[in-house]
Amino acid sequence: MKKQKKYMDNKINKFWDWFLVNEHFLKPELITNILVDNIDEKIQELGNFSWEIGYDDEKKDNFLVISPNGSYELLDECKYIINISPKIKNWYFLSSRPPKKWNLIFNLEINGNKLFFDAKEWEFLLFKYPDGVYDIVINFNNNEKIIKKVFYDAAIIALEGELGEEFVIEKINKIEIVNQFQKDEISKINQFSNLKFIINS
């Protein structure tokens, strides 16, 4: 076990050493396709993670997200990788996708077809447990015959966009998709655009 940890630590440190050497060329406005392939290969060597490089207009810094792809099991590994990241001027690093600054509108590509979603039109019911974990029931208000898996994927995108990937992994226990709510649930329905406010209040 110790050998395995030491091996992983060496791989992580090598990745950050490489990043430190190349950080100027990894800035979003400068990064090339070759470097995109390069960093993807190096991150995949660390684990089955996804990643994103961008520029934060608010903080005026570049950022790198190494994401666990929605996996509870991989979240701690991502946190560990980020915890031993170097301090680099004009960069910050995240172990999961943060909440978005967005209008709740997005496309989801399925079999080459783009499906349009506007989460402001959705409604939801929220159930909170004593341990701070939630179940959420979402009605998309959509009569189109789209398989439930597509709606579920869209729900994950919207939830992560509003609450951040880490919150969804750790705090959202169950996501249920329905075509309509029961009559006795109507008084408890909220608009999806209010979700963040309700959870934070």
Side-chain angles (χ1 to χ4, degrees):
M1 199 72 176
K2 284 184 180 179
K3 282 185 179 179
Q4 188 178 1
K5 184 179 181 303
K6 187 176 180 181
Y7 173 72
M8 275 308 299
D9 284 351
N10 285 337
K11 287 177 76 171
I12 294 167
N13 286 325
K14 280 182 181 178
F15 168 76
W16 287 122
D17 288 344
W18 175 86
F19 194 96
L20 198 55
V21 169
N22 293 280
E23 61 91 10
H24 175 76
F25 303 103
L26 294 169
K27 292 175 181 177
E29 72 274 16
L30 296 176
I31 195 167
T32 63
N33 289 335
I34 292 173
L35 274 173
V36 166
D37 291 342
N38 231 327
I39 192 171
D40 185 62
E41 183 181 323
K42 291 181 180 301
I43 288 175
Q44 291 308 308
E45 286 175 2
L46 302 179
N48 187 27
F49 309 125
S50 60
W51 61 276
E52 180 184 341
I53 275 179
Y55 181 77
D56 188 325
D57 290 316
E58 216 169 80
K59 294 185 178 181
K60 307 298 181 190
D61 281 336
N62 306 297
F63 65 84
L64 169 68
V65 179
I66 298 180
S67 158
N69 271 324
S71 167
Y72 183 87
E73 290 73 21
L74 294 178
L75 181 59
D76 281 345
E77 291 181 36
C78 286
K79 287 181 178 179
Y80 184 74
I81 292 167
I82 297 304
N83 283 341
I84 60 175
S85 63
K87 302 291 182 187
I88 305 177
K89 187 178 179 182
N90 299 128
W91 279 93
Y92 68 93
F93 306 106
L94 298 168
S95 57
S96 57
R97 291 184 289 271
K100 294 180 181 178
K101 303 174 184 71
W102 68 331
N103 60 3
L104 289 163
I105 293 173
F106 61 97
N107 291 309
L108 187 57
E109 189 166 323
I110 305 293
N111 299 325
N113 298 315
K114 279 188 178 180
L115 299 179
F116 173 84
F117 292 94
D118 183 352
K120 295 191 298 297
E121 298 176 355
W122 304 354
E123 295 174 330
F124 74 94
L125 290 174
L126 195 67
F127 303 93
K128 185 176 182 180
Y129 295 98
D131 59 358
V133 170
Y134 299 85
D135 285 349
I136 186 167
V137 183
I138 300 175
N139 177 9
F140 282 70
N141 288 318
N142 190 318
N143 294 320
E144 291 183 35
K145 292 181 178 179
I146 301 175
I147 58 173
K148 228 169 195 181
K149 170 72 166 62
V150 174
F151 280 133
Y152 185 86
D153 290 345
I156 291 288
I157 290 170
L159 287 167
E160 287 186 358
E162 280 296 273
L163 306 172
E165 183 182 21
E166 183 176 345
F167 187 96
V168 174
I169 290 172
E170 295 186 331
K171 297 294 185 180
I172 301 296
N173 173 59
K174 182 181 177 184
I175 302 166
E176 185 180 352
I177 309 301
V178 298
N179 294 322
Q180 61 181 27
F181 292 115
Q182 302 298 319
K183 285 183 180 178
D184 61 347
E185 296 173 330
I186 291 174
S187 62
K188 303 171 187 174
I189 293 170
N190 281 288
Q191 296 300 121
F192 194 87
S193 54
N194 295 326
L195 175 64
K196 188 188 295 186
F197 173 79
I198 290 169
I199 281 184
N200 289 336
S201 61

